[in-house]
Amino acid sequence: MIILAVESSCDETSVALVKDGKEVLSHIVLSQMDIHSIYGGVVPEIASRNHVVHMTRVFEQALEQAKVEIKDIDLVAVTHGPGLIGSLLVGINAATTFAFAHQKPIIGVNHLVGHIYAANIEHEMKFPAVALLVSGGHTELLYMKDHMDIKMLGTTLDDAVGEAYDKVARVLGLSYPGGPIVDKLAAIGEDTYHLPRPFLDKKEHNFSFSGLKSAVINIVHNAEQRKEDIRVNDMCASFQASVLDVLIEKTKHAAESLGAKQIILSGGVAANRGLRSRIFNEIPHFEIIVPSMKYCTDNAAMIGAAAYFQYLKEGAKHNYLISGYSTINFDKLDN
Ligand code: KG4
Ligand code: ZN
């Protein structure tokens, strides 16, 4: 089954062709990062306008690279949320128009489910699984009983992990997006600032990162007032150590208590080198799967991968009436 997938929920314009949910025939991602970094974050109106400018060309390149004829495409899939509404609508309109013009079935895919299925492109999911989904907008600890059977264990009560990384980077005078830079500097610094480990309590599946972020901001502001320097590398290492202690401990506890066969790590923050190395060292008794870097941050291949399993489960029920928005809609796991 060949799926043409479209992702435009934030600032990446992406189209991919994916066969049977696994084989990526083409994968085009046009990042607008350089444009938004001038403003220190994604500007929704500018993101939508750039999707409009680039979407057609990205479609063409994906089709060219895959060497697939339009007649061989079986299904069109598009991210229909969560995300920036203007950005989402550009992808939804492009995908729906393509599907209608070529009389293909179409489905809307939840962006978070896409992030999880990024891990199934190069690996094989095994159930039950515990998934840690960490990105710029989301921090979710999830339980997967089977394909497309996803329940919520915990979520962030305030900032998402990636958001906290980006805000900490900003206060340290580092450029946007801050996550990769903080990660790089953390590797050459030391955990000397002794920041809090929020919600480390084992029984608590939820997360909270705004207090940790504020702790960093307070230290930086106090140092500024006293005209003292901040040891930036050490601050990055301290912040990262705190975040990773919490993420890893909660994931480990969830996997152990729920008898998981596998741990899935995904989302933009799964590109974090510290997290990737520590999770394997500290949870060695579980099989852990992580997408390669290119499938961690936003991309359409993950939408194509998820769409295949969604289609197997429920068919193309959305047809041409894709609603403009899908929220985080995982039910809580009953105790
Ligand atoms: O999944 P993604 O591309 O977009 C969302 O759906 O949010 O994630 C982007 C987020 C940004 O906050 C970025 O700073 C963070 O992922 N990120 C990282 C790293 N690479 C990207 N955070 C920590 N370490 C990294 N290496
Ligand atoms: Zn994302």
Side-chain angles (χ1 to χ4, degrees):
M1 176 176 210
I2 296 180
I3 299 177
L4 179 140
V6 181
E7 155 66 38
S8 70
S9 64
C10 191
D11 61 338
E12 267 90 20
T13 317
S14 182
V15 177
L17 279 114
V18 182
K19 192 174 173 190
D20 297 336
K22 296 286 280 182
E23 195 185 334
V24 180
L25 305 176
S26 68
H27 173 235
I28 307 293
V29 183
L30 197 126
S31 171
Q32 304 175 12
M33 208 178 277
D34 291 348
I35 303 165
H36 298 284
S37 64
I38 303 166
Y39 306 96
V42 176
V43 182
E45 177 65 16
I46 295 176
S48 317
R49 284 169 185 265
N50 275 285
H51 286 308
V52 173
V53 171
H54 299 295
M55 187 57 85
T56 308
R57 184 72 201 123
V58 173
F59 254 79
E60 285 168 356
Q61 281 182 6
L63 285 163
E64 270 165 34
Q65 199 185 82
K67 297 190 173 42
V68 164
E69 289 189 40
I70 291 175
K71 70 171 174 41
D72 297 326
I73 295 170
D74 301 297
L75 177 71
V76 177
V78 58
T79 306
H80 68 144
L84 302 173
I85 190 72
S87 290
L88 286 165
L89 284 172
V90 180
I92 292 169
N93 276 314
T96 314
T97 306
F98 180 91
F100 190 67
H102 300 287
Q103 290 298 294
K104 308 284 182 192
I106 180 167
I107 58 171
V109 175
N110 182 295
H111 182 75
L112 305 186
V113 177
H115 270 304
I116 299 166
Y117 273 82
N120 200 54
I121 296 174
E122 300 142 304
H123 308 276
E124 211 63 53
M125 284 177 173
K126 290 181 194 149
F127 305 106
V130 162
L132 176 67
L133 167 52
V134 274
S135 74
H138 304 281
T139 307
E140 320 288 330
L141 193 58
L142 305 162
Y143 178 75
M144 284 184 83
K145 203 167 152 201
D146 203 343
H147 276 298
M148 290 291 151
D149 184 348
I150 307 172
K151 295 276 189 295
M152 169 85 75
L153 296 171
T155 184
T156 180
L157 302 182
D158 38 60
D159 290 4
V161 192
E163 187 184 355
Y165 263 97
D166 295 338
K167 286 178 179 165
V168 162
R170 195 173 184 161
V171 78
L172 292 173
L174 307 171
S175 58
Y176 175 85
I181 306 167
V182 172
D183 186 17
K184 210 165 133 195
L185 299 182
I188 50 171
E190 281 186 43
D191 176 12
T192 52
Y193 278 100
H194 309 298
L195 299 169
R197 266 64 175 161
F199 282 32
L200 195 55
D201 177 4
K202 280 188 172 183
K203 284 177 240 95
E204 174 61 76
H205 284 317
N206 287 325
F207 303 89
S208 165
F209 293 105
S210 84
L212 175 61
K213 172 198 70 187
S214 302
V216 175
I217 294 172
N218 287 341
I219 294 172
V220 173
H221 286 170
N222 287 341
E224 276 168 6
Q225 277 165 4
R226 291 198 208 109
K227 308 231 180 301
E228 289 169 5
D229 287 334
I230 284 287
R231 301 181 308 280
V232 174
N233 297 349
D234 287 352
M235 183 56 90
C236 291
S238 303
F239 172 75
Q240 178 143 312
S242 179
V243 168
L244 300 194
D245 278 359
V246 174
L247 292 180
I248 292 170
E249 184 57 37
K250 283 183 190 292
T251 307
K252 182 176 161 196
H253 176 66
E256 282 171 352
S257 61
L258 293 163
K261 287 213 179 97
Q262 194 180 60
I263 292 172
I264 301 164
L265 174 63
S266 67
V269 182
N272 185 280
R273 287 173 200 278
L275 177 56
R276 293 168 88 96
S277 87
R278 271 190 59 181
I279 200 165
F280 284 101
N281 286 336
E282 293 174 32
I283 322 185
H285 47 302
F286 280 93
E287 182 189 357
I288 303 169
I289 61 169
V290 194
S292 60
M293 295 287 203
K294 65 178 184 232
Y295 298 132
C296 279
T297 44
D298 291 350
N299 68 87
M302 68 186 197
I303 302 303
Y308 176 73
F309 292 94
Q310 184 174 323
Y311 185 79
L312 290 185
K313 189 173 180 191
E314 58 187 42
K317 69 171 186 184
H318 294 125
N319 216 343
Y320 299 112
L321 298 170
I322 291 195
S323 69
Y325 207 70
S326 160
T327 50
I328 312 165
N329 48 9
F330 304 122
D331 294 331
K332 278 206 91 156
L333 182 71
D334 297 328
N335 287 322

